[in-house]
Amino acid sequence: MSALIRALSDLKGITPKNIAPMEGPSGVLLCPPSYYDVLEVKNPMMAGHLGRVDRAGALAQWESVRDALAGSGFSVSVMDPVEGLEDMVFTANPSFAGRGPRGEKICVLGSMRHPSRRRETGLHEAWFSKAGYQIKRLKTPGLRFEGGGDAVWHPGRRLLWGGHGFRTEPEAYEEISEIFDCTVVLLKLSNERFYHLDTCFCPLTQDSVLIYPPAFERESLELILRLFPMVLVAKEHEAAGLLCCNGVSAPGKKIILQKGADGARGALTGAGLFPIEVETGEFLKSGGSAFCMKAFLY
């Protein structure tokens, strides 16, 4: 059932438990950082890092993320990098995948805000089409949608959390809700340091989430607090400096996240989860960590 939730008054009895189940991702799509660099300031974390990427270090860190994902139970697919597309390593953004109501695999192509990333969409289209996904495009010309950076499935449910405010326009979710025939909870971002939903919102299990509350407008924060029985709160320096909310929930209650976020790691352990630390410092220079570096596959 397609529906948009913007405030508590829209819920009308809707909870994750009465939303239809959806099988979680079984794999991830990655892209090696062969041409990765910081060439322009697209978000606040990129300031001061132009041309300062250590490519050898970035490759070693990417390999550690790849190995952590594979070791956590995901099948790993890798797409070929293309010279001139310095952000292609962040595969979460140019598209968004999931399953339709009949179990069909669907990939919705993104519409990127920055011109330097728009060529990536066609490469994702080719890859997902070959992998057997139905390819969908937003019908409204110019409507911005930055894929899995802003659209995040609720674990195990046909419920979508849709971030907007900086990169994705809220109207995009009207079409996405129809494409997947699913309920979308809209979350408005209010702090430019947290320009994508995946920088401040990390669903851990069907009942728990890790967030940085000051990143959201009040009504959006109220929805998170209502729909998740357990809300873990990230510390400011870990959320802003280490992107601890940009973690990946993996099978077996494992959570892959940036090394050094000791507060988040302790909270996850206290909640019965198993944090796996990886070093993504070279990618933090672009405002991304583990979650940004993969696209979920179904």
Side-chain angles (χ1 to χ4, degrees):
M1 177 185 69
S2 61
L4 297 182
I5 307 296
R6 295 180 173 86
L8 292 179
S9 58
D10 297 327
L11 284 175
K12 299 176 182 177
I14 293 175
T15 70
K17 291 187 183 300
N18 59 31
I19 295 286
M22 188 179 87
E23 185 179 347
S26 59
V28 290
L29 175 64
L30 307 181
C31 181
S34 305
Y35 305 107
Y36 167 59
D37 207 342
V38 179
L39 301 180
E40 59 179 312
V41 177
K42 302 185 184 80
N43 64 65
M45 290 191 74
M46 294 174 116
H49 295 301
L50 296 181
R52 294 187 176 181
V53 167
D54 174 358
R55 270 230 187 118
L59 177 59
Q61 291 176 11
W62 178 85
E63 290 175 341
S64 74
V65 172
R66 177 200 61 195
D67 294 346
L69 290 164
S72 297
F74 289 116
S75 64
V76 175
S77 298
V78 179
M79 64 189 307
D80 294 329
V82 173
E83 187 172 5
L85 298 181
E86 71 274 10
D87 292 319
M88 198 172 165
V89 65
F90 300 116
T91 54
N93 308 131
S95 63
F96 177 69
R99 289 190 179 272
R102 293 170 295 281
E104 66 275 28
K105 298 192 297 184
I106 297 173
C107 174
V108 180
L109 300 180
S111 175
M112 308 297 286
R113 174 182 176 184
H114 293 283
S116 63
R117 300 209 64 182
R118 291 175 188 166
R119 285 174 55 203
E120 297 175 41
T121 302
L123 298 170
H124 275 236
E125 178 181 10
W127 193 95
F128 278 94
S129 179
K130 187 175 181 179
Y133 285 73
Q134 296 181 19
I135 303 299
K136 303 290 184 179
R137 297 173 177 80
L138 298 183
K139 298 176 183 177
T140 305
L143 190 59
R144 296 291 171 227
F145 170 57
E146 298 218 346
D150 275 324
V152 179
W153 287 111
H154 192 97
R157 298 288 169 180
R158 295 189 52 73
L159 175 66
L160 184 63
W161 296 86
H164 65 97
F166 296 103
R167 298 294 184 83
T168 296
E169 297 174 81
E171 294 80 8
Y173 294 109
E174 297 178 12
E175 297 189 29
I176 292 165
S177 176
E178 293 179 0
I179 289 171
F180 286 104
D181 192 21
C182 70
T183 297
V184 180
V185 180
L186 296 180
L187 299 178
K188 187 169 184 180
L189 305 175
S190 59
N191 185 326
E192 67 175 356
R193 290 185 301 172
F194 304 94
Y195 57 95
H196 277 150
L197 182 61
D198 67 8
T199 63
C200 54
F201 176 86
C202 180
L204 306 167
T205 68
Q206 289 192 26
D207 295 326
S208 62
V209 65
L210 172 67
I211 66 168
Y212 180 60
F216 300 94
E217 289 206 343
R218 180 182 58 82
E219 286 188 330
S220 296
L221 182 58
E222 289 175 344
L223 284 166
I224 296 171
L225 296 174
R226 174 68 64 86
L227 294 174
F228 280 100
M230 180 184 293
V231 177
L232 307 181
V233 175
K235 297 179 179 180
E236 180 178 7
H237 73 279
E238 293 185 3
L242 298 176
L243 288 182
C244 68
C245 295
N246 198 245
V248 181
S249 176
K253 295 186 176 181
K254 298 168 187 170
I255 310 296
I256 301 167
L257 78 163
Q258 166 63 25
K259 183 179 180 180
D262 296 337
R265 186 186 69 238
L268 293 171
T269 301
L273 304 171
F274 303 96
I276 298 172
E277 293 186 304
V278 292
E279 178 55 62
T280 63
E282 290 303 316
F283 301 98
L284 294 178
K285 295 175 180 178
S286 273
S289 187
F291 193 94
C292 293
M293 295 163 67
K294 60 94 210 81
F296 280 135
L297 301 176
Y298 294 83

